[in-house]
């Protein structure tokens, strides 16, 4: 699990609501501004001030001092001042999630849109540098807890939302949602001219595998067709990204020559077979759907995963290492097409089938398009085994793996 250093950020002198800068002592004995704790580099003091040059508009003048040497600034920046309307025009926070506080100043905007001039601390040089990539983002929001950056660009005919993460030190787009007006008589109608049903939505979702960025999915639909599904889909993507980057899970080591073990069957939420229904719900949150399939059999759907629960009491015929106390226990986990999370052995929905087979001791890796093709184990109830099912309607395979204790993982 990766953790960033704690960031201590002390506001020494509050900037006025209009964004005006703090005063400083010209003698250099004391400097009033924002004090940022740079750990081993010591404290830095950031003093933003609005200045007006003759014949020119107002600018931000930003002086950077080392607290140990307050007489002379070690760096000075100038930024056009165009956002007097924005209360938090100057903000000090860790915007690249490296453990060191940075600062940004709102610019280039109006009432609903702005960009920022972004200055990130560079430990190697002991100073601040402009971050050009972050400065391109509209209305940026920095989520330090989940190490994600959110961007929103509004518009009459088209608007977009993006989610970014840092991969190998580079700001990388992980998901994008674009809403645009349908073309009417050769032109894009504005929001004032069309109703909700006239808007199209496109979503593009990315993920990372083996250090490479790949596209996971691309969809397009009219908002009026599936407005609720649209919201759920985007929220599901955000939840998946937050799980991926807030606490990066250690890579699970496995032997591709071994059968799937009980301990390997676990979702990105930490849900694993053998849990009670209440234990699983505490991890996955509010389900999207709950289905009572039959007496003593219940299904829960969440984020593209189907959880199969069975009530285990004295009447339950199968033999599982679980108490017969009448509780519903999770025995089956099925991942469908809308699941974007990593699955056991680093499998993702949409993976090449041969790559998936290479993660198991497959005795027959030739794709035969059979309704039932054994990969390993004995094809009998209670035996640990894995097999493929080919569906002619979808033209795709399903992988079923049964562990030693009878828990089932299915990947569509």
């Amino acid at each position: 699990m990766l953790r960033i250093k704690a960031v201590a950020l002390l506001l020494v002198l509050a900037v006025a609501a209009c964004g005006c800068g703090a005063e400083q002592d010209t003698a250099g004995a004391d400097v009033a501004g924002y004090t940022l704790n740079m750990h081993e580099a010591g404290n830095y003091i950031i003093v933003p001030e609005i200045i007006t040059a003759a014949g020119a508009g107002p600018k931000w003048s930003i002086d950077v001092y080392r607290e140990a040497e307050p007489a002379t600034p070690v760096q000075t920046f100038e930024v056009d001042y165009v956002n007097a309307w924005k209360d938090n025009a100057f903000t000090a926070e860790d915007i690249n999630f490296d453990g060191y506080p940075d600062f940004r100043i709102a610019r280039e905007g109006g009432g609903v849109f702005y960009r920022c001039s972004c200055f990130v601390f560079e430990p190697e040089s002991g100073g601040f540098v402009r971050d050009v990539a972050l400065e391109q983002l509209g209305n940026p929001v920095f989520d330090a807890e989940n190490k994600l950056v959110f961007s929103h660009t509004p518009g009459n005919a088209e608007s977009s939302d993006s989610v970014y993460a840092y991969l190998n030190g580079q700001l990388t787009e992980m998901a994008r949602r674009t809403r645009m007006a349908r073309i009417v008589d050769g032109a894009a109608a504005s929001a004032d001219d069309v109703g909700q049903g006239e808007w199209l939505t496109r979503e593009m979702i990315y993920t990372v595998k083996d250090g490479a960025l790949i596209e996971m999915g691309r969809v397009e639909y009219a908002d009026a067709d599936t407005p609720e599904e649209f919201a759920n889909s985007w929220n599901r993507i955000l939840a998946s990204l937050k799980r991926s980057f807030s606490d990066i899970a250690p890579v699970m080591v496995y032997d591709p020559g071994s059968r799937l073990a009980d301990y390997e069957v676990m979702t990105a939420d930490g849900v694993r077979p053998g849990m009670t229904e209440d234990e699983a719900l505490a991890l996955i949150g509010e389900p999207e759907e709950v289905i009572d399939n039959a007496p003593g059999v219940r299904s829960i759907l969440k984020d593209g995963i189907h959880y199969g629960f069975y009530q285990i009491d004295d009447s339950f015929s199968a033999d599982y290492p679980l108490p017969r106390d009448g509780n519903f226990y999770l025995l089956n986990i099925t991942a469908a097409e809308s699941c974007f999370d990593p699955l056991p052995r680093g499998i993702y929905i949409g993976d090449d089938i041969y790559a998936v087979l290479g993660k198991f001791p497959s005795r027959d890796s030739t794709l035969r398009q059979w309704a039932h093709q054994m990969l390993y184990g004995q094809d009998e109830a209670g035996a640990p085994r894995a097999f493929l099912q080919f569906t002619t309607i979808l033209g795709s395979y399903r992988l079923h793996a049964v562990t030693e204790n009878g828990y089932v993982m299915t990947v569509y």
Side-chain angles (χ1 to χ4, degrees):
M1 183 178 297
L2 302 181
R3 296 285 188 188
I4 62 173
K5 304 172 187 175
V7 178
L9 178 59
L10 173 64
L11 181 61
V12 178
L13 181 65
V15 174
C18 67
C20 297
E23 295 181 0
Q24 58 176 309
D25 190 320
T26 55
D30 295 297
V31 177
Y34 289 87
T35 298
L36 278 61
N37 180 354
M38 294 303 181
H39 312 297
E40 67 277 3
N43 286 350
Y44 282 58
I45 300 177
I46 314 300
V47 181
E49 182 181 9
I50 297 176
I51 60 175
T52 302
K59 292 179 177 291
W60 281 100
S61 177
I62 307 159
D63 289 331
V64 179
Y65 296 83
R66 286 193 175 95
E67 189 177 55
E69 304 171 358
T72 305
V74 295
Q75 287 181 290
T76 297
F77 302 97
E78 285 192 358
V79 177
D80 288 341
Y81 177 76
V82 294
N83 258 293
W85 57 270
K86 188 165 180 56
D87 291 346
N88 61 336
F90 181 93
T91 305
E93 60 182 330
D94 182 11
I95 58 179
N96 62 350
F97 317 129
D98 64 351
Y100 294 93
D102 315 297
F103 64 90
R104 58 189 174 95
I105 293 180
R107 60 172 172 80
E108 291 183 10
V112 296
F113 176 74
Y114 67 94
R115 290 190 176 95
C116 290
S117 294
C118 298
F119 301 83
V120 298
F121 185 69
E122 190 175 64
E124 295 79 12
S125 66
F128 291 88
V129 295
R130 298 282 291 266
D131 191 316
V132 178
L134 287 175
E135 292 189 356
Q136 306 307 309
L137 306 186
N139 294 10
V141 174
F142 299 87
D143 183 349
E145 179 182 358
N146 296 299
K147 303 184 185 69
L148 296 172
V149 183
F150 298 87
S151 172
H152 172 68
T153 303
N156 284 334
E158 179 175 321
S159 65
S160 64
D161 295 275
S162 291
V163 187
Y164 297 83
Y166 279 93
L167 302 178
N168 300 319
Q170 299 296 316
L171 187 69
T172 306
E173 187 179 42
M174 302 302 300
R176 183 191 312 155
R177 175 181 64 177
T178 303
R179 298 182 67 242
M180 65 204 74
R182 283 182 171 172
I183 302 299
V184 179
D185 295 330
S190 71
D192 296 330
D193 300 327
V194 297
Q196 175 76 2
E198 296 299 321
W199 286 85
L200 289 175
T201 296
R202 288 176 180 165
E203 293 179 8
M204 285 177 282
I205 306 100
Y206 305 85
T207 190
V208 180
K209 287 178 52 185
D210 302 325
L213 189 69
I214 63 170
E215 184 175 304
M216 283 290 291
R218 185 187 294 248
V219 295
E220 179 176 318
Y221 47 82
D223 280 9
D225 296 340
T226 53
E228 184 175 354
E229 180 182 339
F230 160 73
N232 288 339
S233 174
W234 184 247
N235 291 336
R236 194 162 57 238
I237 292 166
L238 298 187
S240 177
L241 288 173
K242 287 180 179 180
R243 285 195 299 271
S244 300
F245 290 93
S246 60
D247 290 316
I248 301 176
V251 176
M252 181 172 287
V253 179
Y254 66 91
D255 177 9
S258 66
R259 299 172 177 180
L260 187 70
D262 291 325
Y263 71 87
E264 293 183 85
V265 183
M266 182 174 66
T267 70
D269 289 317
V271 178
R272 60 175 67 247
M275 285 185 170
T276 65
E277 182 179 1
D278 289 340
E279 290 172 334
L281 287 174
L283 294 174
I284 66 176
E286 187 69 23
E288 295 166 9
E289 189 174 3
V290 178
I291 305 171
D292 287 314
N293 308 89
V297 182
R298 182 173 298 155
S299 296
I300 289 180
L301 306 180
K302 182 66 181 288
D303 295 341
I305 296 180
H306 169 281
Y307 300 91
F309 292 88
Y310 294 78
Q311 187 175 29
I312 298 183
D313 53 22
D314 291 335
S315 64
F316 191 74
S317 58
D319 186 20
Y320 282 87
L322 298 169
R324 295 178 176 269
D325 54 8
N327 278 316
F328 280 81
Y329 287 91
L330 178 61
L331 303 184
N332 303 336
I333 295 178
T334 300
E337 184 179 2
S338 55
C339 173
F340 301 109
D341 292 334
L343 301 168
R345 301 199 175 187
I347 297 172
Y348 285 82
I349 300 296
D351 276 352
D352 178 80
I353 185 65
Y354 288 106
V356 173
L357 295 180
K359 299 175 183 287
F360 298 93
S362 307
R363 66 188 182 211
D364 183 3
S365 297
T366 302
L367 299 180
R368 306 184 183 280
Q369 297 190 1
W370 291 348
H372 192 93
Q373 179 181 343
M374 291 299 298
L375 298 178
Y376 65 76
Q378 299 299 316
D379 192 12
E380 55 187 39
R385 62 198 185 279
F387 56 93
L388 291 176
Q389 285 185 329
F390 182 75
T391 59
T392 55
I393 296 178
L394 299 177
S396 61
Y397 286 90
R398 298 175 183 174
L399 169 66
H400 298 261
V402 183
T403 68
E404 184 175 358
N405 282 318
Y407 301 128
V408 180
M409 182 192 78
T410 303
V411 181
Y412 278 41

